[in-house]
Amino acid sequence: MDIKAVHQFLSKESYWAKGIPLETVKTALQNSFCVGLFKDEKQIGFARLVTDYATFGYLADVYVLSEYRGKELSKMIMKYIMDLDFVQGLRRTLLATLDAHSLYRQFGFESPENPERLMEIKRNNLYKDV
């Protein structure tokens, strides 16, 4: 992965990780299953799955650079991830999205069956002072 390119997108262009420090991105990538999409050695897309490789996964940081959108590249990334043998065996895979519900529904994601069972600790503006 081109960690600097991933950091550039996440810290400057994403709505979910704006301002994230480079060291945090490095640690996140080192501890996740990562997929990169490249054109002529330039990283143009990315996704990572935080997982134990046996029962659970959390899909995060999925993106395709704006100039490459509309070419079904995000579907290509998602298909690759969802077709992996270990992913097929996960008991639960979660994600959070503001605006890509239609993409993820194509791969079987839906609203939680029992949302009242899910809880979270959410720290807004965590990277604001960085």
Side-chain angles (χ1 to χ4, degrees), residues 77-104:
I77 293 171
M78 286 301 300
K79 180 170 177 18
Y80 177 80
I81 291 170
M82 298 308 291
D83 285 349
L84 292 166
D85 287 340
F86 83 88
V87 173
Q88 292 287 312
L90 298 177
R91 186 171 62 239
R92 177 169 291 168
T93 306
L94 297 176
L95 63 80
T97 184
L98 177 67
D99 56 4
H101 297 79
S102 62
L103 167 66
Y104 298 118

Side-chain angles (χ1 to χ4, degrees), residues 7 31 36 41 44 49 74-75 85 88 98 123:
H7 174 255
N31 292 289
E41 298 185 27
I44 62 169
L49 188 67
S74 57
K75 288 182 188 178
D85 287 340
Q88 292 287 312
L98 177 67
R123 294 180 176 94

Side-chain angles (χ1 to χ4, degrees), residues 19-62:
I20 190 170
L22 178 60
E23 287 304 314
T24 302
V25 171
K26 285 180 182 179
T27 300
L29 270 64
Q30 289 169 353
N31 292 289
S32 301
F33 178 87
C34 298
V35 175
L37 187 61
F38 294 82
K39 179 173 175 47
D40 301 326
E41 298 185 27
K42 176 184 179 183
Q43 183 144 13
I44 62 169
F46 178 77
R48 70 185 181 96
L49 188 67
V50 182
T51 185
D52 62 9
Y53 294 92
T55 64
F56 178 78
Y58 183 83
L59 186 63
D61 298 335
V62 179

